[in-house]
Each structure stands twice: as C-alpha cells, then as structure tokens.
C-alpha cells in the first residue's frame, strides 16, 4: 500500500489491483500505470514518501531536488511525470502563496555574543512557544535565535490570505528547528514540503521558484536579499528591511555602530517592519482578489510592480557626485534603478523639473541653491527608505545640512519603524 499527499495535504490511499495497476480511491483517480503510481507518491518532498503497511514505517524518500532533476533528465517517464506534476502541484494554483525567507527576515541568529550582549543569556526562553529569544542546538554548534517582533501575529494574519512556505539557504536541520520556534503549534507549516532548505535547491546557492508548487503569478516572496534569487524570480520579491539584532550580523562598514541587542532596543511590534509589510501584503491581496472578481488574469508580479511605481510618482530625482552607485540596504541595486521602479524619474541638476536632490553630504552653496530653487535636498537614504516603507518618506527627516554643520556619516543601520 502507498500513502500519498495531494494539494490539500491529507493522506489518501491507493490500492494495488491484481494486475499491478492502481485502482480508484474515493473516485479521485482512474487506473494508473505503475510508473504513474510511483511518481505520484513522490510529488512532495518530506511528504513524498512511500509507506509500508503502517504510515509510520517509512521505506522511501524522494526530495524535490531529485524530483526536479529526474524531470529534466528524463530518467522517469517524462510525459507521465509532467502530467502528474501539473495535475497534483497545480491543484493549489487558486491559493496564493507567500514564500518566506528566515534569516534577517523573520529572525536573526548568532553563535557569538559581544560583551555588551551577554545580558541576553538570562532572557532566553525555556519553552518554544514563549518569548522571542531562544537557544537551538545543531549537530556542530549552539545558536542564540531572536525572533523578529510581531512575527507570530504576522504569520497568523498572513496565513489567512496565503499558503505559507519557508525557503532558506540554511540546512534542513536548522530550518526545522527555526520553524518549530516560529510555529510551535504546527499551524502553518504542517507538511515538511512547506519548508525548503539548501538540500532541495536545484542549483547550489541559488533560490528559485521551480520547486514551489503553483503558478508564479500566484506567489509573493518575502526576503531581505533579492540577489540570492534567480533573476527571473526577482519580480516576485518584496524586499524587507534586513533584521540585524546581534552585533555579529552587522556589515563590517557599520562596525562603529552598536547593535540593538547592545543598546537593549528592538523594532516596535504594532507599527514595526513586519506590521508594515503585512499592510503591503493585504493591499496586494485585495488587488489580486479584485482582478479575479473582474475576470482579469490575476498576477502578483504585475500587482507588485504597479504598487511600487505609485510610491514616488511625480518625483524627479537627481544625484550629486558623491552619491554611491548603490546602498547596502538595497542589496547592490543601482540607485537610478530603484528610483525608476518606485515611479520617479531621474535627471541631472540642470533639469528645472527636478524635485529631489539626493546626496550624502552637501556644501552651504548646494544647500542655498536647493532652497532658492525649491528643491528637496535629502540624504540618499531617503530613496532606500521609500523602497522598504512602500510609501514616500517625509523629506524633513532626511534633510541635509551643510558639511560644516553635519559631517557625512551614514545613519545607523537600525530600522526605526
């Protein structure tokens, strides 16, 4: 007997007839060949196992990576496999999916605490369902894990709109332990197929949606680092502000700044980063449903693109010579491209239509020129903030003073929302 999981994740039984073919089960399947039956039992990793007489007696395991490679190489009947792939995986196409990164998106972890962070050791939770600070033990090390504020409320609200998946560059053991902290009651990631780790990657070091079931038009990715994703899938991404709680997570260029753990502060719960992203997801989901109700082809890729293009619509930006090509918080994306995707136009200082001048430092002469010509003179981080906030930031919070009054220094990399 074989036990399989379909799109609704409930186990179904298929009985083998005397002639070796699969019989119908609950009027869902017609007679299938042995190859089809074998493939069908291997649709999902984690749940794609062949069982013995008892469900607990696992006798086989096929990962998504193996499944994908078999499809490409043709080692399994390609026609039958592709048909089953569409039949089983694509059954979930009508349920939008939210693919979640772990590190720096939903949590932050470290093996090393600075002297100023040692106070955290007394705050570590002893149970998986209490608090935001935990310790996990892996095969070769022990790690301190800090869950992002509002994360459990975020998952609860997001699960009402989306089918949730975790997709991490970490190992399966690491991902499993983190998911237990995020979802102690096992409500959102019931099936192991909802947790994708590096062992499942179809290309080493590169995340891709080819192992997430369903149409890409129905998927949103939440990640702090778009650069780890395949180019074709970046259009599905909402880039979240990177969560660096521990000092060991800070880029070397920010070594002069103290971490939130050292300063004993954190992001706010009710109106912090995850609460903000939840509101963006709700707006995207509302547009998605409206498109479906109107008989249009609903596509999150188009929705996210349109939402971004509205953020700085009507703004014309110019960059001074000292502005870097990109900022760390934008994952190396060129600033001109960021401005363009946010709906702004970019030009040069000679253009009278320029509304915002972006700089990292300014002289008294530049400050006076901007004031006389009615231009906003703001730090380049204003653009970065717009990208992460999904709204136009208040310019007065990013106004630059002349260099002798305001020495050039990037603001601390701590999100103040």
């Amino acid at each position: 007997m074989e036990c399989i999981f379909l799109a609704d994740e409930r186990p179904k039984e298929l009985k083998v007839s005397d002639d070796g073919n699969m019989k119908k089960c609950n009027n869902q399947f017609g007679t299938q060949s042995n190859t089809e039956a074998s493939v069908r039992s291997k649709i999902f990793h984690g749940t794609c196992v062949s069982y013995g007489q008892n469900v607990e007696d696992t006798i086989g395991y096929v990962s998504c990576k193996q499944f994908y490679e078999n499809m490409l190489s043709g080692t399994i009947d390609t026609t039958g496999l592709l048909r089953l792939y569409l039949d089983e995986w694509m059954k979930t196409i009508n349920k939008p999916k939210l693919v979640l990164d772990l590190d720096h998106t939903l949590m932050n972890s470290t093996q090393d605490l600075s002297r100023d962070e040692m106070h955290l050791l007394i705050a570590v939770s002893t149970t998986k369902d209490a608090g935001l600070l935990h310790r996990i033990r892996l095969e070769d090390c022990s790690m301190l894990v800090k869950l992002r504020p509002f994360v459990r409320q975020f998952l609860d609200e997001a699960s009402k709109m989306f089918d949730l998946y975790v997709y991490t560059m970490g190992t399966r053991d690491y991902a499993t332990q983190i998911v237990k902290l995020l979802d102690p009651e096992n409500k959102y990631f019931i099936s192991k197929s909802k947790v994708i780790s590096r062992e499942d990657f179809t290309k080493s070091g590169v995340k891709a949606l080819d192992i997430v079931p369903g149409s890409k038009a129905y998927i949103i990715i939440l990640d702090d680092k778009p650069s780890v994703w395949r180019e074709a899938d970046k259009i599905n991404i909402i880039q979240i502000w990177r969560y660096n709680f521990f000092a060991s997570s800070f880029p070397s260029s920010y070594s002069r700044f103290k971490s939130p753990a050292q300063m004993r502060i954190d992001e706010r719960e009710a109106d912090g980063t995850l609460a903000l992203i939840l509101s963006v997801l709700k707006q995207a989901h509302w547009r998605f449903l409206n498109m479906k109700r109107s008989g249009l082809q609903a596509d999150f890729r188009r929705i996210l693109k349109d939402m971004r293009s509205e953020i700085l619509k009507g703004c014309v930006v110019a960059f001074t010579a000292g502005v870097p090509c990109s900022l760390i918080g934008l994952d190396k994306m060129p600033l001109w491209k960021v401005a363009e995707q946010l709906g702004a136009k970019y030009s040069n200082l000679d253009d009278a239509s320029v509304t915002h001048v972006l700089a990292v430092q300014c002289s008294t002469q530049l400050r006076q020129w901007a004031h006389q010509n009615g231009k906003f003179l703001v730090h380049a981080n204003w653009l970065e903030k717009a990208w992460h906030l999904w709204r136009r930031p208040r310019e007065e919070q990013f106004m630059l003073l002349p260099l002798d009054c305001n020495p050039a220094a990037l603001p601390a990399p701590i999100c103040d929302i």
Side-chain angles (χ1 to χ4, degrees), residues 17 33 77 89 108 129 131 175 215 219 245 255 259 274 289 312 317 338-339 344 398 400 405:
S17 64
S33 67
D77 176 45
W89 276 23
N108 189 206
D129 59 348
S215 167
I219 298 175
F245 183 73
S255 59
S259 71
L274 283 177
L289 293 180
L312 296 183
V317 302
V338 173
F398 295 85
L400 283 174
C405 300

Side-chain angles (χ1 to χ4, degrees), residues 12-54:
K12 308 289 183 184
E13 293 182 351
L14 292 178
K15 297 182 179 179
V16 183
S17 64
D18 294 336
D19 60 3
N21 288 328
M22 289 290 182
K23 290 182 178 179
K24 285 185 185 178
C25 179
N26 299 328
N27 295 321
Q28 291 196 30
F29 308 120
T31 301
Q32 306 162 75
S33 67
N34 287 332
T35 300
E36 288 175 329
S38 174
V39 172
R40 189 181 288 281
S41 68
K42 300 169 184 173
I43 293 298
F44 287 116
H45 79 280
T47 53
C48 58
V49 294
S50 300
Y51 293 107
Q53 190 65 31
N54 298 317

Side-chain angles (χ1 to χ4, degrees), residues 338-385:
V338 173
E340 190 176 64
Q341 290 194 22
L342 293 175
K345 296 179 180 180
Y346 64 95
S347 187
N348 54 58
L349 292 175
D350 297 331
D351 188 345
S353 67
V354 167
T355 58
H356 293 73
V357 177
L358 275 63
V360 292
Q361 62 186 37
C362 75
S363 63
T364 301
Q365 183 181 5
L366 179 60
R367 176 69 178 163
Q368 290 175 344
W369 173 86
H371 178 72
Q372 293 171 358
N373 290 275
K375 316 291 185 184
F376 289 111
L377 179 59
V378 294
H379 195 283
N381 281 358
W382 175 80
L383 195 61
E384 179 184 27
K385 198 77 167 184

